[in-house]
Amino acid sequence: MALTSRKFVSTTGKLSLLTLALMAAPFAMAQDAGWYGGANLGQSNASIDDARISNDLLGSGLATTSIDDDDRDRGFKLFGGYQVNKYFAVEAGYFDLGQFGFVANTVPTGSLSGDIKIRGLNLDAVGTLPITEKFSAFGRLGVAYAHTDGSFVGTGAVNVLNPSPSARDTNLKVGLGVQYAFTEALSLRAEIERYRINDAVGNKGDVDLASIGLVYRFGGKTPTPVAQTTAPAPVIIAQAPAPTPVYVAPPAPPPPPPAPQKVSFSADSLFDFDSAAVKPAGRGELDKLATDLRGVDFDVINVTGHTDRIGRQAYNQKLSSQRAEAVGSYLVSAAGIPAGKISAKGVNGADPVTKPGECVGTKVTQMLIACLQPDRRVDIEVTGKR
């Protein structure tokens, strides 16, 4: 039974449009490296080459009057893999593409019916493109070791020489898909794959599987409910009356320490988006600060990096710390400030400047990024005197 495919192009086009639409959002980090597993279920499609069947029958002196095709079935796959980094994974699995068949009626009177079952193993290289914090697109390229079992029955004038052919062959497979992460551990995946198949009677063709499934990442975090406890009511204990106080004049207080001077820089003026490298315009701003610090006898300079609330907390913590350290390093190298007098730390988005309700929404848009701009900053606090 000859298999070809005519439907993969249109379906791939729809999936590509979805991928392009998602790419309009800002890039985000993919999940951490580690093992994962999952399962997909969907519809498999094969186009049966009716012209070839008719020609084969005609070669035996039989004219085909009609052919009924059964070219769709349910397919599934089980898979497991290892995410090497945010862009690349290796994945292996078992697939079952289902069963396809046809019935051809002939003159002189007779019929030829054929069925083929396809299943096997695959090994793929998977490239991932992170799009947002939860969405990603991916493509795959690999090999499929497929086992095909055929069954052919002839009636009347049709004589079948080999009623039960089978074949085992290794061929190329490709695919495209998108993935949405509900949590760090659980994701929803939708994809389209094309399998190159030997149909057990000497012909090669393509079978497409469009499927949807779940992916579980081992070691990922899932939300856990926080138990709420009620503090016991305070116990009031009667106390003896306090003795009459004796007034002693306190010593004169020491002079108050100099009030710290605080300067805040917009992170967008110092760094490019999602970067911890000080850009030329930002170096100019820090040079002005370094000039003002000349002649100041300071005890310590505290540099604190802040991010907005967009993105994962762990990633924002790392980025805010890197930006604070970059500013501190520049002040040491450019202004000659002793490294021991600079303290740098990052606090991610825990101390926003914007008020609650001022920047509404959780979907990452350019409007939300612009509204949260004041939160992305670097504060420099100097304690000392001239």
Side-chain angles (χ1 to χ4, degrees), residues 210-226:
S211 62
I212 189 169
L214 294 175
V215 182
Y216 181 80
R217 187 172 300 276
F218 299 100
K221 298 178 182 179
T222 55
T224 55
V226 179

Side-chain angles (χ1 to χ4, degrees), residues 8-9 13 46 62 79 84 105 123 156 159 203 209 212 246 262 270 334:
F8 185 75
V9 175
L62 302 170
F79 57 88
V84 179
N105 298 306
L123 178 64
N159 183 31
N203 304 305
L209 176 64
I212 189 169
V246 177
K262 185 175 181 181
L270 298 179

Side-chain angles (χ1 to χ4, degrees), residues 3 14 19 25 33 53 78 118 125 156 181 183 187 209 241 244 262 291 298 339 374-375:
L3 299 178
K14 296 176 183 177
T19 302
I53 295 170
L78 306 174
I118 305 170
T183 67
S187 300
L209 176 64
T244 303
K262 185 175 181 181
T291 301
F298 49 82
D375 295 344

